[in-house]
Amino acid sequence: MKTVASFLSSLLLATAAHANEPAAAPAKPDLGKGGTIASQVCAACHTADGSRGSPANPILQGQHADYLVKQLTEFKAGKRKNAIMNGMAAPLSEEDMRNVAAFYASKTAKPGFAKNKDTVALGEKIWRGGIAERAVPACAGCHGPTGAGIPAQYPRLAGQHGDYVEAQMNAFRSGARANAPMMMTIAAKMNDKEIKAVSDYVAGLR
């Protein structure tokens, strides 16, 4: 009996010691492997380095790696719906996602420009101060005064394609994009003119 008790005691101590061991940190992202994925899988829509491709697709240069991993994870899980991206993300492992996200994050984003000078003032007003009468918060509160964002929840928006931002705002408003409840609530309170104005303003932020 004593031997069994001693064995169980040793087993419990060993288990407790193992439980207290720090979890192994994930491997440092491999930018080379990330670049390979970018060139072979992502380049057709985002260009090989994530720069200023089609306005319908987001610029990935300089985007926060944590944010990109979050979006890829949610595309893969079907939490964020997009027929193309759901398929592209499906075969990616967690390591693949970290590698390609780090690759794009390592690039320096090029500046963009607003296209409509007539709505810049309205876009700036909403970005900096929100729309008080409808309890729409200032965009700068989460995305920063210069659009730098806060990883992993709030993406960098400075210089992003205005057309892409507008499309995402409309998707949040309609419920077609449902992976950010706060943005769905905010977009639901904005009209077409306001969404278009702030989206175009974002394109020129730097």
Side-chain angles (χ1 to χ4, degrees), residues 122 124-139 186 189-191 194:
L122 175 59
E124 182 177 19
K125 179 181 177 182
I126 296 170
W127 182 268
R128 296 183 180 280
I131 307 170
E133 63 271 23
R134 273 174 269 143
V136 172
C139 311
I186 291 170
K189 300 175 182 178
M190 298 175 67
N191 60 40
E194 291 159 348

Side-chain angles (χ1 to χ4, degrees), residues 85-102:
M85 283 305 304
N86 294 149
M88 291 293 183
L92 298 179
S93 66
E94 291 182 17
E95 182 182 18
D96 291 335
M97 292 179 191
R98 288 196 299 271
N99 289 341
V100 75

Side-chain angles (χ1 to χ4, degrees), residues 30-62:
D30 187 320
L31 298 186
K33 290 181 179 178
T36 298
I37 295 170
S39 63
Q40 294 179 352
V41 180
C42 315
C45 293
H46 298 286
T47 72
D49 63 356
S51 58
R52 309 191 68 81
S54 167
N57 302 318
I59 297 165
L60 300 182
Q61 271 186 339

Side-chain angles (χ1 to χ4, degrees), residues 6 16 21 25 36 39 53 56 65 67 79 82-83 105 111 115 120-121 148 150 152 161 165 168 184:
S6 298
E21 289 178 3
T36 298
S39 63
Y67 179 78
K79 185 176 180 181
N82 180 284
K115 295 187 293 186
V120 166
I150 305 171
H161 290 307
V165 175
Q168 295 309 299
M184 294 174 72

